[in-house]
Amino acid sequence: MLYSIVGKDVPDSLARRLSVRPAHVARLQALQDQGRLVLAGPFPAVDALDPGAAGFTGSLIVAEFASLPAAQDWANADPYVAAGVYAEVQVRPFKKTFPA
């Protein structure tokens, strides 16, 4: 089943994000290599593709996991969690409707 993972950043998270981004991206790449990643990306803090020093307010990941606990375990092990980038993380079942 698919699950959405939404991480909400702490204020001024950009330096923390950048310090652990390679490890975060490596985990996403592993999901993609396994054919389980639907999409992933950050929420810019301003209306721009590159928010510069404004940074980001969080992230969205939609991926396939065997169960809700498996998705939660994966999310809790993210480098952004360990580095204190995320103030909170919500994991919920997700039903993809479009594109078909």
Side-chain angles (χ1 to χ4, degrees), residues 1-96:
M1 180 160 187
L2 295 178
Y3 295 88
S4 69
I5 300 170
V6 178
K8 184 176 180 182
D9 282 25
V10 299
D12 302 315
S13 63
L14 187 57
R16 291 181 197 185
R17 271 183 168 269
L18 294 176
S19 72
V20 294
R21 186 174 187 276
H24 172 77
V25 170
R27 294 179 82 235
L28 294 171
Q29 185 64 55
L31 284 179
Q32 181 172 308
D33 292 348
Q34 296 164 12
R36 297 170 44 205
L37 183 65
V38 174
L39 63 89
F43 299 115
V46 295
D47 190 13
L49 289 177
D50 180 358
F56 301 92
T57 61
S59 302
L60 168 65
I61 299 164
V62 177
E64 182 180 347
F65 292 93
S67 65
L68 179 57
Q72 290 170 325
D73 288 346
W74 188 91
N76 290 338
D78 193 281
Y80 282 178
V81 172
V85 173
Y86 292 150
E88 82 177 86
V89 177
Q90 293 182 343
V91 181
R92 295 182 289 197
F94 180 81
K95 182 180 176 187
K96 180 181 172 196

